[in-house]
Amino acid sequence: MTVGRNPELDPGHTAPGESRRPIGVFDSGVGGLTVVRALRQALPGEDIVYLGDTARVPYGSKSPRTVERYSLTCQQFLLDRGVKLVLIACNTASAQALPALVAASPVPVIGAVEPGADSALAASTAPRHLGVIGTLGTIRSGAYATAIAARDPSAKLAAVAAPLFVPLAEEGWVDDEVAAIVARRYLEPLFAQDPQIATIVLGCTHYPLLRNVIARVASELAGRPIAVIDSASAMAAAAKEILVAAGAPEPNQRAQAGRLDCFATDTSRLDELAPRFLGEPISGFELVDL
Ligand code: DGL
């Protein structure tokens, strides 16, 4: 599990089991709401503060240094709101900024890549043939290759950057002929790297919206069923494990549903986009300037 915090920043820090403090989640935009969706299923009583850095999205095409700088300001925003745990609901930020985020946080930080790698291993059997798709930044970082090799050095991993899936997910073109053409364009080179791929990891928090078309096109190309997995539920499970280990009394057994407070650095189109990713109505976003 990817969990770390910097105890030197706050040696007397209260354990995350202290239940009334919210969980903080950030992403470059709205994709991270797929992680919030999983978090609300796993821990329905928990309060959540979500930040989408929508003014600066996409992170996937930016340099690692810029992604790290933006990610640190996002995390600080959440820490300033007293969160007890930070979830980096952005694969690009997780791949390029996790060490800096952990070093800057007195509370535990959960990235997206290692839970994604854990899910990929749980969904497959050796000899493993895995494929990962993500943003340019995530694929270039090699973070999935590192995480998977650490767990199963014999696993074979093919990787392709699939940046056009991000605007398709936002546009709501998630299972039509345009999405299928784009999926074929990305998945053909993935299978060309390794025709034996059995499991595809969605290494971007936008991609779960396109899961059906990705699974269908991948299975057509392979001529057999392909498992498609993402890191959202594994991240939520990791959050639950931390809270329970820290002594939270059954964090999902509260009588009341937890609050969800959403912030964004730009609010254009969010009323339309956010419910698609969250899977439930949303009461609105407060505009913040980082
Ligand atoms: N949500 C981002 C991720 O998981 C993708 C969007 C972006 O490029 O910022 O990598």
Side-chain angles (χ1 to χ4, degrees), residues 144-268:
Y144 272 96
T146 304
I148 285 166
R151 287 160 174 73
D152 176 3
S154 71
K156 188 159 183 207
L157 182 71
V160 162
L164 281 183
F165 282 150
V166 172
L168 281 178
E170 295 195 350
E171 206 52 43
W173 295 8
V174 293
D175 203 358
D176 63 1
E177 66 275 24
V178 178
I181 289 169
V182 175
R184 187 168 282 274
R185 186 75 177 253
Y186 288 137
L187 296 176
E188 274 175 353
L190 193 71
F191 280 97
Q193 286 178 34
D194 179 7
Q196 294 182 64
I197 289 169
T199 308
I200 291 180
V201 186
L202 303 181
C204 172
T205 51
H206 273 70
Y207 296 0
L209 269 72
L210 292 128
R211 182 191 307 277
N212 289 346
V213 72
I214 291 168
R216 194 176 64 249
V217 171
S219 302
E220 280 167 18
L221 290 170
R224 60 200 149 75
I226 300 293
V228 175
I229 63 107
D230 66 66
S231 43
S233 48
M235 289 180 77
K240 187 171 178 174
E241 203 177 301
I242 290 175
L243 297 188
V244 170
E250 289 302 320
N252 57 344
Q253 295 298 313
R254 291 218 196 107
Q256 273 187 327
R259 284 172 60 94
L260 173 59
D261 292 317
C262 292
F263 298 86
T265 50
D266 184 90
T267 52
S268 171

Side-chain angles (χ1 to χ4, degrees), residues 23-48:
I23 297 172
V25 183
F26 79 87
D27 177 35
S28 56
V30 283
L33 291 169
T34 59
V35 175
V36 173
R37 184 197 288 220
L39 201 53
R40 279 167 74 80
Q41 277 162 11
L43 297 163
E46 290 292 330
D47 295 338
I48 297 171

